[in-house]
Amino acid sequence: MKLLPRLKVAHLPTPVEPLPRLSASLGGPKIWIKRDDQTGLALGGNKTRKLEFLMAEAQANGAKTVITAGAMQSNHCRQTAAIAARFGLGCILVLYPVDDSGAAADDLPPLSGNLLLDHLLGAEIVLTRRPERDANLERVFQAAWDAGRRPYLIPYGGSNPTGAAAYTFAMQEFLAQNIAVDWIVFPSSSGGTQAGLVLGARAFGFQGRVLGISVDETVETLKARVASLATQTADLLGEPFTFHDDEILVNADYVGGGYGVAGPGEREAVDQFARQEGLLLDPVYTGRAAYGLIDLVRKGFFTSEERVLFWHTGGAPALFADRYRDWLS
Ligand SMILES: *Cc1c(COP(=O)(O)O)cnc(C)c1O
């Protein structure tokens, strides 16, 4: 496998820990957790790994500014702001509210959660609405280019082959930790995490299965996205693998009210992990995926002899967002 330019930022390997009290209370498989919420960059998360590669590419291109986009409480945007600060680059974030209420997006909402951290980390924030996000991103990029700021565009969720490659190496890291599991379960959205993991599974011989719990997409859309991205990532890394939609495992039964809409299932998962194990999940991604895991255990999807790894992808700063105050109280 080819090596790609990479910055050393993340605290790796992230720990793998057993969850004995949660496993016992569910009475199902033995559950383990991999702590990518502890990657060490401004409260951590899965985007830190991707940004080690994306930022190396930005630097190789002579970038002075990085630009990316996401929802108002985006963890990806917070980590991008942090790594830009760390390497002395400017950072512009194009942010939009998750609910496309017709309201004008001119006013910055109260600073809380990830948005507060974006501000502390010195990012410039441009507001948009979701349907206009691509057009605005292009406009912001062009304006930065015209101003001589040498911008570099980081895609949504850091999910292009360069970003996804980080999770191929993360799979290699996990296999070297020598904890045999039958399943790896985690939240999947822009697909880079899952694409990297399935490629790593094939390249490094993981014997178990890699199950993404969809955060916001249908099964068909997410499978197609992950298969295509995994194939492109293999190509980038010089591996002759292709991936087909039907070999990507996705469960989209837990998308509920859509992206960022936390319901009773996410709340139950956040409570269980907090009270059984002292672990913090988030309302958008890991709360949803952990609820999927809990529900699948209850439905007997896993046998009690199986071992399941929950890959914690981060996101807990959103617990402190105004948006989730009522839901948590
Ligand atoms: C971005 C994100 C994900 C989803 O990862 P993708 O690679 O976009 O599928 C999961 N969990 C958290 C906390 C995230 O911020």
Side-chain angles (χ1 to χ4, degrees):
M1 182 156 309
K2 268 195 222 158
L3 289 180
L4 301 177
R6 175 179 191 170
L7 300 175
K8 280 241 154 279
V9 177
H11 298 177
L12 303 178
T14 56
V16 177
E17 300 162 345
L19 302 182
R21 282 176 32 83
L22 182 73
S23 304
S25 87
L26 293 172
K30 264 210 174 56
I31 304 172
W32 296 74
I33 193 164
K34 183 152 173 71
R35 300 294 305 278
D36 276 16
D37 57 322
Q38 301 291 311
T39 50
L41 176 70
L43 304 180
N46 63 342
K47 305 311 179 310
T48 307
R49 289 186 189 266
K50 299 177 180 185
L51 287 162
E52 287 194 322
F53 292 89
L54 292 162
M55 201 64 178
E57 196 172 275
Q59 285 194 330
N61 280 280
K64 291 191 209 148
T65 308
V66 290
I67 301 180
T68 196
M72 209 69 80
Q73 284 297 328
S74 165
N75 302 299
H76 163 65
C77 289
R78 181 240 317 153
Q79 287 163 90
T80 302
I83 202 165
R86 172 93 160 249
F87 290 95
L89 275 74
C91 177
I92 307 176
L93 302 176
V94 176
L95 300 178
Y96 49 85
V98 290
D99 31 16
D100 303 324
S101 57
D106 309 340
D107 291 331
L108 195 63
L111 295 177
S112 68
N114 282 305
L115 183 62
L116 171 68
L117 300 177
D118 296 342
H119 177 73
L120 291 181
L121 292 162
E124 295 164 52
I125 292 165
V126 176
L127 296 176
T128 185
R129 277 181 249 161
R130 199 176 188 287
E132 293 131 40
R133 63 181 190 167
D134 291 324
N136 265 317
L137 195 52
E138 215 163 288
R139 187 182 55 72
V140 167
F141 185 89
Q142 194 57 49
W145 187 268
D146 294 342
R149 298 181 65 184
R150 294 295 296 268
Y152 174 87
L153 187 65
I154 294 180
Y156 298 105
S159 284
N160 60 12
T162 302
Y167 268 87
T168 301
F169 297 114
M171 177 63 95
Q172 184 179 34
E173 170 189 305
F174 171 65
L175 294 174
Q177 289 174 307
N178 268 319
I179 293 163
V181 297
D182 302 290
W183 292 88
I184 297 178
V185 177
F186 55 96
S188 190
S189 178
S190 67
T193 302
Q194 188 162 6
L197 289 177
V198 299
L199 173 56
R202 187 170 305 172
F204 301 114
F206 174 58
Q207 299 296 315
R209 279 167 284 184
V210 174
L211 173 63
I213 306 290
S214 176
V215 171
D216 50 354
E217 298 288 9
T218 64
V219 169
E220 295 70 35
T221 304
L222 193 51
K223 280 186 171 193
R225 181 181 297 166
V226 170
S228 153
L229 186 52
T231 302
Q232 294 173 63
T233 307
D235 189 49
L236 177 72
L237 291 170
E239 297 293 325
F241 300 129
T242 51
F243 294 86
H244 303 284
D245 300 12
D246 54 14
E247 61 193 312
I248 307 298
L249 301 181
V250 167
N251 180 313
D253 293 345
Y254 303 99
V255 296
Y259 182 87
V261 180
E266 289 83 4
R267 180 61 201 266
E268 187 193 346
V270 168
D271 284 349
Q272 286 245 24
F273 274 66
R275 292 170 191 199
Q276 307 272 10
E277 298 287 354
L279 283 168
L280 299 177
L281 299 181
D282 82 287
V284 182
Y285 295 96
T286 54
R288 181 157 288 175
Y291 177 62
L293 170 61
I294 289 168
D295 192 58
L296 289 171
V297 171
R298 287 184 182 143
K299 287 180 168 150
F301 179 84
F302 309 104
T303 69
S304 53
E305 290 80 47
E306 284 184 311
R307 296 149 301 180
V308 178
L309 180 81
F310 183 73
W311 202 307
H312 194 325
T313 48
L319 289 172
F320 304 101
D322 284 350
R323 177 174 172 79
Y324 300 110
R325 185 167 297 163
D326 292 342
W327 175 74
L328 282 170
S329 57

